[in-house]
Amino acid sequence: MSEEVSRNINIKEPRWDQGTFTGRAKHFFMVTDPRNVLLSSETLEEARVTVENYRAGIMKPGLTEDELWRAKYIYDSAFHPDTGEKMFVIGRMSAQVPMNMSITGCMLTFYRTTPAVVFWQWVNQSFNAIVNYTNRSGDAPITVNQLGAAYASATTGAVVTALGLKSLATRLPPIISRFVPFAAVAAANCINIPFMRQRELKYGIPVTDENGNRLGESPNAARQAIVQVVVSRIGMAMPAMAIPPVIMNALEKRAFMKRFPILNAPVQVGLVGLCLVFATPLCCALFPQKSSMSVSGLEEDLQERIRKTSPHITTVYFNKGL
C-alpha cells in the first residue's frame, strides 16, 4: 500500500531522470501510451484538477504518490505544456501509435499507383500537420491564415516529393520501390515541421532559466528545437517503414499469402503497429523535452538583456515540442 503523498514532489518535472536516455524513455512510454486516448473527459479533468491543486499546495485527502504521478502523466498526455490547453485528441502523442499504424500500413500497402500515393501522402501529411501544430513549442497564437498557408505549403511539398521519388523508383528493383513511402515521409518531415512551426522560426520560442523564469523568446532556440523534432520523427518512422517491407516481401512469396491476398493490409498494419509501440517513445527520448543551449548561442540582443538582468546565467532552457 502506497503512503500518503509528500508535499515536496516536483511534478513540474518528469518522474524519472531526464538527463539519461533510460529516464527519458520511461517518461515517454507513459506519455505515448495509446490507452490514454481512450480516457474520458471526466478522467482528464480530474487529473488536471489533481495536478493544479497539488501545485497550489492543495492535496486531496488520501492521495498517494502513485496516484499523483498517474494524474500527472494523464495530464501531460492531454494538455499542452506551455498553454495548458487541452490538445486535439488525434494530435496528442498518445494517438501516434493507433493513427500512424493505420496510415503507415496503408501507405506501405497501396504504393503502386499515383492516385494511391497522392491520397495517402495527403492523409499522412494532414495528420502530421495536426500533430505538429498541436505539439508546437511556445504559447504564441497562430492565425487561421498563417495555419492555412503553412498546411498548404507543407502538404504540397510532401506530395510532390513522394511523386518525384516514385518516378525514380520505377527504374529500381521492386524491393527498393517498397521504401519509397519511407523516403517520402523522411523528406516530407523536413518540409512539414518547419512550415507548421514557421512562426517560431520568425518570432522565437520562450527560453527560461533552470527555475522556469522566462527570459525572452529566441528564434535560434526554435531552430535547434525543430531540428531535434525532425530527427526524432524520422527515427520514429524508420523501423515502421523499413522493417515491414522486408518481411512483407518475403511473406508475399508464401503460398498462404498468395491464396489470401486480403491479409496483406491487416498483416502490414499489425507489423507497423508493433514497430511503432517501441519506436515512438524511444525516438521521442532521443533529446530531452526540456532542451537547453548556451546563452552565447542566442541572438545578440537577447544575450545582452540576459547579461544585464541575470549575469550568472550561462545556459537557457526551452520546450522543444514533440
Side-chain angles (χ1 to χ4, degrees):
M1 176 96 47
S2 297
E3 295 181 2
E4 193 163 317
V5 69
S6 161
R7 293 181 181 272
N8 302 319
I9 298 172
N10 182 10
I11 58 168
K12 290 182 179 179
E13 299 295 332
R15 188 171 193 174
W16 296 280
D17 178 12
Q18 297 300 283
T20 67
F21 177 77
T22 302
R24 295 196 297 272
K26 288 179 179 178
H27 168 70
F28 281 111
F29 267 107
M30 293 291 287
V31 172
T32 63
D33 186 342
R35 293 173 298 179
N36 289 339
V37 174
L38 304 176
L39 296 174
S40 66
S41 296
E42 291 76 15
T43 302
L44 296 179
E45 182 61 20
E46 184 181 345
R48 184 189 68 79
V49 170
T50 299
V51 168
E52 291 183 354
N53 281 352
Y54 184 84
R55 288 174 178 170
I58 305 166
M59 288 194 297
K60 186 170 67 175
L63 181 70
T64 67
E65 184 173 340
D66 285 341
E67 288 171 345
L68 175 63
W69 282 114
R70 174 63 181 152
K72 181 234 177 351
Y73 275 103
I74 290 174
Y75 176 85
D76 285 353
S77 75
F79 294 88
H80 193 278
D82 291 328
T83 65
E85 296 173 352
K86 185 187 288 187
M87 296 185 284
F88 185 48
V89 64
I90 67 170
R92 299 172 193 168
M93 293 309 291
S94 52
Q96 282 284 293
V97 171
M99 290 298 297
N100 268 329
M101 70 183 283
S102 305
I103 296 170
T104 304
C106 290
M107 287 171 67
L108 293 174
T109 303
F110 308 111
Y111 66 92
R112 291 182 174 89
T113 67
T114 297
V117 169
V118 171
F119 176 74
W120 286 108
Q121 282 294 330
W122 170 73
V123 170
N124 186 52
Q125 293 310 317
S126 296
F127 170 63
N128 283 346
I130 292 170
V131 173
N132 295 338
Y133 174 73
T134 303
N135 293 281
R136 68 199 183 281
S137 177
D139 51 10
I142 182 170
T143 66
V144 173
N145 287 341
Q146 289 171 328
L147 187 59
Y151 167 71
S153 303
T155 306
T156 302
V159 171
V160 169
T161 301
L163 291 177
L165 290 169
K166 182 180 181 299
S167 67
L168 289 174
T170 56
R171 296 185 289 275
L172 298 172
I175 183 63
I176 300 299
S177 65
R178 282 183 176 272
F179 290 95
V180 166
F182 169 65
V185 165
N189 271 326
C190 297
I191 300 168
N192 195 319
I193 294 172
F195 266 119
M196 291 306 295
R197 294 177 61 175
Q198 61 183 282
R199 194 180 192 286
E200 297 173 32
L201 292 170
K202 185 174 181 180
Y203 298 107
I205 57 176
V207 294
T208 68
D209 62 18
E210 61 183 348
N211 298 316
N213 299 309
R214 193 160 175 163
L215 301 169
E217 289 73 38
S218 169
N220 287 355
R223 277 191 282 275
Q224 180 174 309
I226 288 170
V227 168
Q228 291 177 349
V229 170
V230 168
V231 171
S232 294
R233 292 287 186 83
I234 292 173
M236 276 183 219
M238 190 179 295
M241 302 192 81
I243 296 172
V246 175
I247 296 174
M248 291 305 299
N249 199 57
L251 287 179
E252 285 175 1
K253 296 172 184 175
R254 304 276 178 166
F256 77 93
M257 286 296 283
K258 290 179 179 177
R259 284 178 59 198
F260 304 104
I262 197 170
L263 292 175
N264 191 305
V267 169
Q268 190 123 242
V269 169
L271 289 170
V272 169
L274 184 62
C275 292
L276 285 171
V277 164
F278 297 97
T280 301
L282 292 176
C283 289
C284 281
L286 289 175
F287 305 99
Q289 183 64 36
K290 186 180 178 181
S291 200
S292 63
M293 69 186 300
S294 170
V295 170
S296 61
L298 300 172
E299 293 73 20
E300 295 279 342
D301 59 331
L302 184 54
Q303 285 186 45
E304 191 64 30
R305 199 156 73 241
I306 291 172
R307 289 194 183 108
K308 283 181 180 176
T309 58
S310 309
H312 61 285
I313 293 176
T314 57
T315 302
V316 295
Y317 301 87
F318 53 91
N319 170 32
K320 69 174 175 64
L322 286 171

